Amino acid sequence: MRRFIFASHHKLAYGLKDTVDFLTGATKTVYDINAYLDDETKDIDTVVAELFASFDDEDEVVVLVDLMGGSVYQKFYPYMSEKVHVICGMNLPMALSFVLAPEDECLTSEKVEQVLMDCKNQLVYVNKMAASVDEDDE
C-alpha cells in the first residue's frame, strides 16, 4: 500500500491535505503532520515514530515536507529508504502528482525524479510569459 505524509511547520500540511482531499474526493489515505502548534499534545518525534510504526514493512511511503534542511524534514531523514521517499518543497501540483500516480507501479527514484521535473514545469512567472505572448501577437 502507498502512504502519503504531508509535514510542515504550523498548518501548511493540513491545508495541503484538505485541498488534495477536496480535489481527489479523499480517495487516498493522506496523513498531515503540523509541527510546532501551541496546542500540541505530542512532540513531532513521537508523532512521526508512531505513524511509521503503524505502517507495514512493505508499504511505500511518500513524505512531502515544506523546507529542505528544516527541523520538520530532519525528523524524516532517518526513515529514508527505497520504500520511503522524502521530498522537500511540497506544493499542490507535486502532492496531486504523487497522490494520483498509479499504485500498481513501484515508485523508483527515476519515477520520483520525473514527477519532480514535471512539477518544476508548473512554476511559471506569468508576467514574463504574458509579455512574450503579447510581443508575439504584434
Side-chain angles (χ1 to χ4, degrees), residues 82-102:
E82 287 184 15
K83 291 193 174 282
V84 178
H85 309 278
V86 178
I87 299 130
C88 296
M90 69 182 183
N91 60 41
L92 185 57
M94 179 189 300
L96 288 171
S97 293
F98 282 112
V99 169
L100 295 174

Side-chain angles (χ1 to χ4, degrees), residues 117-132:
M117 289 303 300
D118 293 345
C119 291
K120 286 178 185 178
N121 291 331
Q122 294 287 321
L123 298 173
V124 177
Y125 181 39
V126 178
N127 291 29
K128 185 174 181 178
M129 182 184 75
S132 81

Side-chain angles (χ1 to χ4, degrees), residues 3-93:
R3 311 287 188 149
F4 303 94
I5 302 171
F6 300 166
S8 70
H9 296 82
H10 206 59
K11 298 180 183 177
L12 177 63
Y14 169 79
L16 185 60
K17 177 191 181 310
D18 187 57
T19 302
V20 167
D21 286 348
F22 172 77
L23 293 173
T24 65
T27 58
K28 304 288 174 133
T29 302
V30 178
Y31 305 89
D32 61 300
I33 297 176
N34 305 278
Y36 312 118
L37 299 175
D38 292 338
D39 61 347
E40 286 182 333
T41 57
K42 295 181 185 178
D43 68 15
I44 187 171
D45 293 306
T46 302
V47 171
V48 171
E50 288 176 357
L51 185 57
F52 273 94
S54 72
F55 298 160
D56 292 331
D57 289 341
E58 295 304 311
D59 285 346
E60 195 170 46
V61 183
V62 177
V63 181
L64 303 184
V65 298
D66 54 0
L67 294 171
M68 176 67 184
S71 57
V72 175
Y73 147 81
Q74 292 175 21
K75 306 302 180 188
F76 293 94
Y77 188 85
Y79 294 92
M80 289 189 310
S81 69
E82 287 184 15
K83 291 193 174 282
V84 178
H85 309 278
V86 178
I87 299 130
C88 296
M90 69 182 183
N91 60 41
L92 185 57

